[in-house]
């Protein structure tokens, strides 16, 4: 797995003590990691995602905000877990144009990470694909509905393959209950308008969405700018 180009996650608990967290879809910090219910997760079998919210984010706004961070808009997801709120400092690009966010419980000081990246997960490559950002540990894979439950090196995760990408919910195997990961995987969805506002910063003004037309390019030739300054130059 490629590295996340975001704030080092080891610093998050220290930052969160002083800065707090922003809620982008998680419930209030009233439950422990033993709770398994979520607001949007259904009671269906397996870990297929719940339906997207009724008031989805504006596609242009999502594209602008995600694009400003180098994230593909279709890879931006949020989830819900009782007692967890997204740590705004953790949100960023994962790998090439994937997405990463960490959810943190102020009550239990437990972290839940959300990764989304391109690719797929199969019975063949599951044991070869590291859990979270692991570094070579042996991976145990167990099929659970549409998802994979995976464990290695003291970490465990639920991984949900989608069309061309994989959503992964990762946590410490000793501190984060498997049921919490499973419910968080079921609750993943694209952000609605309110969730997007809390999740991603506004795009900088003047963010280009179309190629900028150069005014100094000649209409013919190899397209190089005309830098001629004359005989006196």
């Amino acid at each position: 797995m490629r590295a996340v180009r975001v704030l080092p996650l080891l610093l998050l608990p220290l930052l969160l003590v002083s800065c707090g967290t922003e809620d982008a879809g998680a419930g209030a910090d009233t439950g422990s990691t033993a709770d398994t219910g979520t607001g949007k997760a259904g009671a269906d079998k397996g870990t297929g995602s719940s339906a997207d919210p009724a008031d989805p984010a504006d596609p242009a706004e999502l594209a602008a905000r995600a694009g400003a961070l180098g994230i593909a808009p279709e890879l931006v997801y949020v989830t819900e877990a009782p007692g967890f709120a997204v740590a705004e400092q953790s949100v960023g690009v994962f790998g090439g144009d994937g997405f990463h966010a960490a959810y943190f419980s102020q009550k239990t000081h437990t972290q839940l990470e959300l990764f989304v990246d391109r690719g797929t997960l199969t019975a063949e490559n599951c044991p070869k694909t590291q859990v979270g950002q692991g570094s070579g540990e042996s991976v145990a894979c167990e099929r659970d509905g549409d998802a994979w439950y995976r464990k290695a090196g003291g970490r465990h995760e639920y991984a949900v393959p989608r069309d061309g990408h994989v959503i992964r919910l990762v946590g410490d195997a000793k501190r984060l209950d498997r049921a919490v990961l499973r419910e968080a995987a079921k609750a993943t969805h694209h952000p609605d308008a309110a969730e997007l506002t809390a999740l991603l910063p506004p795009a900088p003004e003047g963010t280009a969405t179309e190629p900028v037309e150069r005014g100094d390019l000649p209409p013919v030739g190899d397209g190089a700018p005309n830098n001629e300054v004359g005989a006196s130059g």
Side-chain angles (χ1 to χ4, degrees), residues 162-228:
R162 292 289 172 78
D163 185 16
H165 59 274
V166 181
I167 305 168
R168 299 187 293 131
L169 285 302
V170 188
D172 188 306
K174 293 182 178 180
R175 302 192 55 169
L176 190 63
D177 193 83
R178 173 176 174 173
V180 175
L181 281 180
R182 190 176 190 274
E183 293 301 313
K186 288 168 61 176
T188 54
H189 58 276
H190 291 297
D192 62 24
E195 290 168 331
L196 177 62
T197 298
L199 187 70
L200 297 177
E205 293 186 11
T207 299
T209 56
E210 297 292 339
V212 177
E213 184 176 350
R214 290 281 299 275
D216 60 342
L217 296 180
V220 295
D222 62 4
N226 183 0
N227 295 320
E228 178 64 41

